[in-house]
Amino acid sequence: MTAMNERRILHAHFHMPHDAHPDLYEQLLALAEGITPRVQAIPPDAAHLDITGALRYWGRSPEQLAALLRLRTMALHGVQTTCAIAPNRNRRVRQISEDSAREPGGTSVLSRRVRLGFDEAETRYPPPD
């Protein structure tokens, strides 16, 4: 698969203010749907965006779409967003996004090797019997 056809999921963690309006989360999801219609809400403060088709539509890289989402959430609602990008929806993506929540506003990118959990040495040299 080429880079534009490879499946990409963007996990967005919204750093909601403590005194946030109850409708703010819905407004952030609507904002995410302006980038891709394939948004899965993960209440109370996160979402998965399937950006596979949006990459071609926008003509941008996954990192650039994450930057666009972060910019829009901050500019329109004053909410910092942390993003993680991976080939699928898995707990590890969400965990990385939540771990980096201590420093809002960043983006982490997981490669296929990290997603599968293999060490590079293990993939090149099988362990001895």
Side-chain angles (χ1 to χ4, degrees), residues 96-116:
I96 287 173
S97 180
E98 289 170 356
D99 285 349
S100 52
R102 290 178 223 119
E103 297 178 20
T107 299
S108 302
V109 179
L110 279 73
S111 67
R112 184 173 302 275
R113 184 182 310 132
V114 172
R115 178 180 63 93
L116 295 174

Side-chain angles (χ1 to χ4, degrees), residues 44-99:
D45 60 0
H48 278 156
L49 289 70
D50 185 340
I51 58 171
T52 307
L55 295 172
R56 183 176 303 224
Y57 177 80
W58 290 93
R60 306 273 183 213
S61 70
E63 295 86 354
Q64 290 171 326
L65 286 183
L68 178 64
L69 178 65
R70 288 192 331 265
L71 177 70
R72 287 183 175 186
T73 58
M74 180 54 96
L76 298 175
H77 300 286
V79 175
Q80 292 247 4
T81 303
T82 302
C83 299
I85 302 164
N88 66 6
R89 292 179 178 100
N90 65 28
R91 285 179 279 146
R92 191 171 193 159
V93 174
R94 187 171 184 178
Q95 187 62 43
I96 287 173
S97 180
E98 289 170 356
D99 285 349

